[in-house]
Each structure stands twice: as structure tokens, then as C-alpha cells.
Amino acid sequence: MSGAWLFVLVRLGALLILGGLIGLYFEQLFAGLFVAALVSIWFHLYHLIRLESELATPRSKTVTVPDGTGLWARTLARIDHVHQRLRKSKKAYRSLLKEVRNSTNALPDGVVSLTNTFEIVRYNRAARRNLGLKAKRDRGQRIDNLVRHPDFIAYLNERDSSQTLVLPSPVLEGSFLSLRIVPYGGDDWMLLVRDITEQTQLARMRRDFVANASHELRTPLTVIAGYLDAMSDEPDLPEPWLRPVGEMRSQAARMLAIITDLLKLSRLESDSSLADEQCIDFAEIIRRTAASAPDSMLHPSVELRIDTAKAIRGNQSVLESVVLNLFQNALRYTPPEGNVTLCWRLLDEGGAEFAVIDTGEGIAEADIPRLTERFFRSDRGRSRHAGGIGLGLAIVKHALNRHDAELHIKSRLGTGSTFSCLFPEQRLCEIDDEREQNAPVTATDPL
Ligand code: ADP
């Protein structure tokens, strides 16, 4: 028997004996026992009611523990101990929560916690500032009811955390935000919001500078190239001038080609949407480009594999520049005894692929990820000798981006390369519309 039981029983027994003795003294044994039992019940009821009122007191208060070593004193002491422990851990939890809140508020980037259905749970100060959230009004609301940009709604629905979305700020005109959702805690999402106005402005300034400088340089260069052409056509040109004029002519032509490519690139980068979108007969572009290989030049044999008549919704001249750049590269970097194949086919998983496959020199594996950087050339000497500038693949990448397409490059040194452009299903169309087929190709986009 535990000590607590023994203590209670001894105390109850002593009380009953005392009650019985007093009852016997007054010749009322049962009345004495009854009163003793009543006293015992009253004692326990009194402490029970006290315990109930102690537990009902506000949590910050301590439980008043009666003196002595009785059962109730020990019970209340235990409750008080648990109570104190709870209060301490709650205090620690509160200060931790405060610290987390302070540190997330100090973040320069916005953070919004969302439920699985994108209702706002909480957010930090930067998110409030960047997205214009209002403390009481917006908590519990769906984020796509507050940021109503269609690109943002489509981005949320995709639930693809590997992608980042750039949006104009819903609060401040001229500002831009980069948004990304990240899953956390099983079912929930975190929306990260970064103000990228400064980077966007810098990129725009760089683009404008390159475009303006190229534009300003083109006119005088065209004049110089024109005079050099005229000089080289001059039959009386003195012999010692023949080589320098020829060299100057080819360098001027090269500079003009660089400037033209830079202008194409800055145009592709700065236009957020494609001008003049139509359903374009892509197979026809491939056929025409393949036929454009100069007869005079010794070049690899060219094969066409056109397995579909599907067309692409996009811009004619931008698509032409994709095919032409990839085809010219294949000719440039494949020896005359090699092969170049141009393929156009539908993919089983949806969408279509345009691939340029060559059996040329190939590219070192380490260089492949850098090929679409401007002015990057895998082998500078060889590329320069072949007439390369280093802008062609950058143009291809941007032109494909404009068509929601991707460029994939596979290559092996000494074996050859495959450049494949993957167009998504939603970009494919049929040229069965008489109006579209016969519509003149407008030359609004000078790419
Ligand atoms: P370039 O005007 O120098 O050809 P690109 O941007 O078109 O510039 O290509 C970048 C570099 O990629 C080239 O300098 C070349 O080294 C490499 N490259 C591109 N296409 C091929 C290819 N089909 N085979 C081998 N190397 C290639």
C-alpha cells in the first residue's frame, strides 16, 4: 500500500475513533461516527472546490499550496510544479516566436506562408510592403485573390517550385518582383518575394546601351563598307592597295555582322511578346534554309527529314533566324565529307522537335553549358577562322524563349553535335486556314 493511502486511512480511522468516543460519551455512538464521517467528507470537498478554483485562476498565477504534508498539500504542490514548468516553456516558446518574427521581418525579401490552397497564414514586413498586404484584412484570404495577375495565377496552378516568375509590382509602378513558391512542412507553401527593380533597370540600361551604340555605329560603318566596296571594284587601284583594301572590306563586313546580331539580340531581349504572331509553316522554313547553302562552297551533304506538316504559332523572321543560325553553324563546323541532317518531327510526349544533327568536330563537354553566352566560342581561333562571331546561339536561345521552346545540345568531340529545339504542344498549329496560308508575310520585325 502506498504511503498516501496509508496516510489517508490512518487519518480517517483516527477521525472515526474520535467521533465514536465522543458519541459513546453522549451515548450516541452512531451520531458520533456520522458526524466524524461528515467532517471527513467536508474536508475533502473543501479541498476539491479549492483545487477547482485554483485551476480556474489565470495561468500566470501560481497555485496556493496549503502547509503541511497531507494528501491535498502534496497534490496541489505537484499541480503547482507542472504549472510552473508549463509557464516556463510557454515563455521560452513565446520569446522564440518573437525572435523568429523579428528575424523574418528583418529579411529584405518577402516571405508569405500559404496553406495548400494558397490561403495566407502569415507574412513578413517585406511581403506586406511588396505585395501591398493589409494585416487584418488579408490574413486567411487566397493570395491569388489579392495578386490577380494572370501569369501569377497560372504560375501558382502549376505548383512548380523550380521556376521563378517575374512580375510588375502590384503596388509600385515601374517596380518588378521576382516570385517563387517553395513547398514546406508537408502540405504548405512558402511564397518568396524579391524586389528586382534595380537589377531589371540595370539590365534594361545595358540592353539600351548596346542597342543604341550598335545603332549609332551601323550608319558610319555602312558608309565605310560602301566606300571600300567601291574601292575594291576600282580597276585602277594600285597593286600595293589591293590586299589592305580587301582586308579592310572583310573586317568591315564582319563588324557589320556583329552589329546586326547585337541589334537582333537586344530586340529579342527587350520585346516581352512576339510581334506579328502567325501560324508559320516551319517545314517550309527548313526546306528553304537547306536550299540556301551556297553551291559554290564545299560543304557537307545536307539531308532533310520532315515527318510532320505541323506549323508553329510564332514570328516568321524570328523562327527563320533559329533555323538559319543552327544550319550555318552545322555547315561551318562540319568538314565537307561529313553530313548535316535537319529533322522536324512530332514527339510522343507532346510538342515537336526541330533538330540539326551534324557529324562535325563536336564540342568539349565543359563548353556545352556556356555555348549560349554572348561572344562565347568553344575554340576561338577555329570559330574566328570559320567566320564565327559568338552571338548565333545566344540569338537562337532568346528566339526560342520567345516561342516557349527550349534548346538542348548534345555533342561529342570528334563525333558531331545535335542541337534540338523543343516546341511545346500549345505552340503547334495547322495551316489549314486559307486566310493564314495566303496572308503575306509582313516584315515588321527586321530579324
Ligand atoms: P559562332 O558565330 O562563333 O558560330 P555561335 O553562338 O553560333 O557563334 O556558336 C558558339 C560556339 O559554339 C561556336 O564558336 C562554336 O565553337 C560552337 N558551335 C556551335 N555550333 C557548333 C557545331 N554545330 N559544331 C561544333 N561547334 C559548334
Side-chain angles (χ1 to χ4, degrees), residues 97-408:
L97 204 67
K98 200 170 159 199
E99 215 168 280
V100 171
R101 202 173 293 143
N102 286 345
S103 53
T104 51
N105 273 338
L107 285 176
D109 293 343
V111 182
V112 187
S113 326
L114 302 166
T115 63
N116 191 32
T117 45
F118 300 129
E119 275 120 20
I120 299 174
V121 180
R122 70 184 76 84
Y123 47 83
N124 69 350
R125 214 170 275 154
R128 192 183 320 163
R129 196 176 50 238
N130 288 333
L131 298 174
L133 302 176
K134 294 269 170 13
K136 291 214 172 89
R137 188 197 65 184
D138 294 339
R139 209 161 274 155
Q141 295 259 22
R142 280 184 62 117
I143 186 85
D144 45 355
N145 282 342
L146 303 171
V147 181
R148 300 195 59 83
H149 197 288
D151 289 355
F152 180 64
I153 294 171
Y155 174 72
L156 279 187
N157 289 337
E158 266 181 35
R159 294 176 183 244
D160 182 358
S161 59
S162 65
Q163 299 291 324
T164 303
L165 175 75
V166 175
L167 274 191
S169 159
V171 183
L172 209 61
E173 207 173 315
S175 296
F176 288 88
L177 302 177
S178 152
L179 302 154
R180 183 166 182 183
I181 48 165
V182 193
Y184 84 101
D187 247 8
D188 297 331
W189 291 90
M190 188 115 77
L191 175 69
L192 306 176
V193 188
R194 173 171 290 181
D195 187 338
I196 52 158
T197 310
E198 210 175 317
Q199 290 103 299
T200 315
Q201 277 168 351
L202 278 174
R204 188 180 298 153
M205 276 165 65
R206 179 180 57 78
R207 269 201 315 268
D208 290 352
F209 171 76
V210 173
N212 291 338
S214 310
H215 198 72
E216 292 301 323
L217 284 170
R218 190 158 66 169
T219 314
L221 247 179
T222 312
V223 174
I224 292 170
Y227 276 118
L228 287 170
D229 283 348
M231 277 172 81
S232 65
D233 289 345
E234 182 59 54
D236 300 333
L237 191 70
E239 175 68 29
W241 280 95
L242 281 177
R243 243 192 96 222
V245 167
E247 182 64 19
M248 283 193 282
R249 217 178 135 208
S250 78
Q251 290 302 331
R254 184 175 161 76
M255 281 166 79
L256 268 176
I258 294 176
I259 284 171
T260 311
D261 277 358
L262 280 173
L263 281 170
K264 275 183 200 172
L265 248 181
S266 66
R267 173 176 266 271
L268 280 171
E269 276 185 318
S270 52
D271 286 352
S272 58
S273 62
L274 275 171
D276 192 26
E277 274 201 33
Q278 292 177 3
C279 193
I280 307 290
D281 188 346
F282 198 66
E284 181 52 29
I285 294 183
I286 299 172
R287 278 192 208 98
R288 244 188 298 128
T289 311
S292 72
D295 288 340
S296 56
M297 194 175 120
L298 255 186
H299 58 70
S301 59
V302 178
E303 192 192 326
L304 289 187
R305 255 190 251 152
I306 295 181
D307 298 341
T308 174
K310 279 272 182 194
I312 297 179
R313 183 157 293 286
N315 178 287
Q316 172 96 19
S317 53
V318 177
L319 289 172
E320 277 172 356
S321 79
V322 170
V323 180
L324 188 68
N325 272 304
L326 293 179
F327 180 57
Q328 280 180 344
N329 275 352
L331 292 187
R332 203 176 276 159
Y333 302 109
T334 307
E337 59 280 9
N339 296 309
V340 171
T341 311
L342 304 180
C343 307
W344 177 231
R345 64 180 186 111
L346 290 181
L347 296 171
D348 293 340
E349 60 271 26
E353 179 190 41
F354 165 59
V356 180
I357 306 160
D358 67 55
T359 57
E361 311 156 357
I363 305 155
E365 203 183 332
D367 288 344
I368 294 178
R370 300 195 57 198
L371 289 181
T372 54
E373 287 175 19
R374 283 139 229 247
F375 294 111
F376 179 82
R377 280 169 289 176
S378 180
D379 177 338
R380 290 187 88 80
R382 197 186 65 202
S383 159
R384 205 184 168 83
H385 181 70
I389 294 167
L391 290 172
L393 290 179
I395 292 176
V396 169
K397 185 183 149 192
H398 279 92
L400 289 177
N401 276 351
R402 286 278 165 270
H403 290 85
D404 312 312
E406 287 170 11
L407 176 67
H408 292 259

Side-chain angles (χ1 to χ4, degrees), residues 12-37:
L12 185 63
L15 193 66
L16 288 176
I17 291 169
L18 185 67
L21 287 175
I22 293 173
L24 273 179
Y25 181 75
F26 291 107
E27 294 177 354
Q28 293 285 338
L29 173 68
F30 287 107
L33 287 174
F34 181 70
V35 170

